[in-house]
Amino acid sequence: MATLLHLSPVFLVMSMLMVLRRPPVQAAMAGAALVALLWLVDAWMATGTAASGAALAAARDTGVLFLSTAFVIVPGLGFVILIERMGVNQALSQWVRSLGLGPADQVVFIVLGLAPLLEAMTGFGVSLIATVPLLLSLFERRAALRMALAGMAIMPWGTLGLATVIGASLAHVDAAALAAVSSLTSAPVFLILGALSLHLAGERGARAWLLLGGFGLLFVGVLHGISRWLGPEVAGVGAGLAVALGMLVRALRMRGRAQAAPGWPRQAWPYLALALAIVLLKLLALATQWDQRWILQGAQVAWKPLASPGVALTLVLALLLARGAGRGVALAGALATRAKRPLLTIFFFLAMSQMMVKAGFLSGLVQLLAELAPAALAPIVAAFGALAGYMTGSNVGGNAIFMPAIALLPESSRLLLAAVHNSAAGHAALGSLSIVMLVLGLARTNAQEEGELVRFGFALACANAALVALAALVVGGVGVV
């Protein structure tokens, strides 16, 4: 009974989001308020000394985690606002159409290359601004909308790996190790969603499947390698870029020497600048360890501001402003409008999770999980992760809800289960209602299409969770982790 009472804030959040259809920020605030109330009652019935120390620890860790999130989201949204005003993604769409690729090549290029690359660099569904109009111009409307959603759900490393970094802090595991194992637990999702996109496009021949298989393995290999050696911040960028470059080489060979390949659109230079800044700062950190000079320490979590991708985003944002990209744009007002809701939502979800951990509210859940057989753990954690990601519409918010419980499990299984949660939450979040609504808004759809796409997104979230759980059983069975 006590366990159910202590988990009631999670049930409240679920009810508000799924039954009452309230905005995530309201659900997060209600969940955090209920945790605080229950904790006060427990403290009043017991002793206040230990509770006051735990409350201070929860506040410190919430503050550190929130700062690490805000330092990426705020300059990231500023970057997004400016590139939207510059028409960068529209220029990219026109460039892809000019490459002259065949239908199967176009699907692989967009779904495993361009969409993951753009989403990994920016997050916030920005890749859809480029891919939805592009897919609608290349394929039948119903198939194009589903392919856009499938392409989004492929890349849970959005916003330069922010959710994975936050998830690693919450689960008390190494961020690079979590990203590397997550690339393995997500591998079937990459391949199956790519295959689904080919099917939707009507490309079902052996050549199309071989093309997907080759570039799918390239995607997973690069994602895993960069995650292990450089960390999650550049892994998604590298994987999407590897597929995109491979397809460009293929396009050049198909065009022959007689035809010159269209050059990279000049308007899209901010993406190149951001990629270069990320890589150079990462290499500088590896060579000089300069990112170790400033560490913000909480009670159980720590953050290195100089190692954050927010540094690269801030530098490129400053460069854009210096070159006049923001001229005529009320950036501060637009940024405040765009950033307020996601920042408040994440803050209250983080506060809710940290209070539940410090108050011992998750001990009953952890005890229940610890009594299960290893084969049963992965599907349950995948279901928790997918539920959290789909409810919140955010891979960071999804990790904030249940990932702290993973930190309390035995160390021998913690990394694999953290990867299962990270993958399931990320893939489900990118097929959630908020992403579906963004697709619908960009495509100007009708009520029938809206209902169909909502159901399709939910089916994707369920299928992705099952694929992640299956991959975890294989990864754990062969002893990779």
Side-chain angles (χ1 to χ4, degrees):
M1 181 63 70
T3 298
L4 289 177
L5 181 63
H6 287 164
L7 290 177
S8 61
V10 177
F11 301 143
L12 174 64
V13 168
M14 291 180 184
S15 300
M16 291 187 67
L17 290 170
M18 305 301 289
V19 179
L20 301 177
R21 300 295 179 89
R22 304 309 301 164
V25 63
Q26 294 182 14
M29 293 172 70
L34 181 55
V35 173
L37 177 62
L38 292 174
W39 197 1
L40 285 172
V41 171
D42 279 1
W44 178 73
M45 294 177 66
T47 60
T49 306
S52 62
L56 180 59
R60 288 175 60 191
D61 282 352
T62 299
V64 171
L65 290 168
F66 178 71
L67 285 174
S68 67
T69 304
F71 187 46
V72 177
I73 287 181
V74 172
L77 278 174
F79 177 82
V80 166
I81 290 168
L82 293 186
I83 63 172
E84 285 177 356
R85 302 293 174 89
M86 294 167 63
V88 170
N89 287 343
Q90 289 82 351
L92 276 177
S93 297
Q94 295 172 5
W95 175 69
V96 173
R97 283 194 293 270
S98 70
L99 292 175
L101 294 169
D105 300 273
Q106 290 171 343
V107 170
V108 173
F109 180 79
I110 296 169
V111 172
L112 281 180
L114 185 65
L117 171 62
L118 299 183
E119 192 61 26
M121 292 179 76
T122 58
F124 316 110
V126 171
S127 64
L128 291 171
I129 299 172
T131 58
V132 169
L134 178 59
L135 288 167
L136 286 172
S137 70
L138 295 173
F139 301 100
E140 184 268 329
R141 181 178 177 84
R142 187 169 181 270
L145 294 177
R146 283 158 175 73
M147 288 164 62
L149 200 57
M152 268 295 295
I154 277 180
M155 179 44 68
W157 272 262
T159 323
L160 300 174
L162 176 62
T164 301
V165 174
I166 296 297
S169 297
L170 294 171
H172 301 159
V173 296
D174 179 69
L178 177 59
V181 180
S182 297
S183 69
L184 301 179
T185 54
S186 289
V189 177
F190 303 142
L191 297 174
I192 295 300
L193 291 190
L196 174 62
S197 298
L198 283 175
H199 179 81
L200 290 169
E203 294 295 314
R204 299 158 194 172
R207 175 188 168 277
W209 302 126
L210 287 173
L211 184 72
L212 173 65
F215 280 98
L217 290 176
L218 173 65
F219 185 90
V220 174
V222 173
L223 188 66
H224 181 76
I226 295 180
S227 294
R228 182 170 293 278
W229 297 109
L230 293 178
E233 297 90 348
V234 292
V237 177
L241 184 61
V243 172
L245 290 177
M247 290 303 303
L248 288 178
V249 171
R250 181 177 173 81
L252 288 174
R253 289 180 176 177
M254 292 170 62
R255 294 171 72 93
R257 296 183 179 179
Q259 289 181 287
W264 177 262
R266 292 181 60 186
Q267 285 175 286
W269 69 264
Y271 279 128
L272 294 179
L274 180 57
L276 183 62
I278 293 167
V279 172
L280 290 179
L281 287 171
K282 195 69 178 179
L283 292 175
L284 180 63
L286 289 172
T288 65
Q289 302 298 311
W290 77 295
D291 57 327
Q292 306 289 335
R293 297 177 183 176
W294 184 18
I295 300 177
L296 291 182
Q297 184 68 51
Q300 293 180 320
V301 300
W303 173 48
K304 303 171 187 174
L306 297 179
S308 171
V311 176
L313 284 164
T314 301
L315 291 174
V316 175
L317 181 61
L319 177 62
L320 286 168
L321 293 172
R323 290 174 62 93
R327 190 174 296 121
V329 177
L331 182 60
L335 189 54
T337 301
R338 294 275 288 267
K340 180 174 63 176
R341 292 175 71 88
L343 285 178
L344 283 174
T345 302
I346 290 171
F347 173 79
F348 284 108
F349 274 132
L350 288 172
M352 171 181 157
S353 70
Q354 288 306 301
M355 285 190 288
M356 291 182 73
V357 170
K358 302 304 191 287
F361 285 9
L362 295 177
S363 58
L365 175 62
V366 172
Q367 184 178 357
L368 177 64
L369 293 176
E371 292 172 356
L372 296 174
L377 269 177
I380 291 175
V381 171
F384 279 158
L387 179 62
Y390 189 84
M391 283 193 316
T392 61
S394 162
N395 40 4
V396 176
N399 276 349
I401 292 181
F402 287 120
M403 192 68 91
I406 306 297
L408 304 176
L409 292 173
E411 190 172 354
S412 58
S413 61
R414 190 187 307 158
L415 178 58
L416 177 58
L417 293 176
V420 170
H421 189 288
N422 187 46
S423 292
H427 293 303
L430 295 178
S432 65
L433 289 174
S434 59
I435 297 297
V436 171
M437 291 303 139
L438 181 55
V439 174
L440 294 171
L442 290 168
R444 298 180 181 178
T445 56
N446 54 42
Q448 180 181 350
E449 288 178 325
E450 178 178 332
E452 290 179 353
L453 204 59
V454 167
R455 290 190 292 272
F456 180 76
F458 182 74
L460 276 186
C462 295
N464 290 343
L467 289 170
V468 169
L470 180 62
L473 294 177
V474 174
V475 170
V478 300
V480 174
V481 182

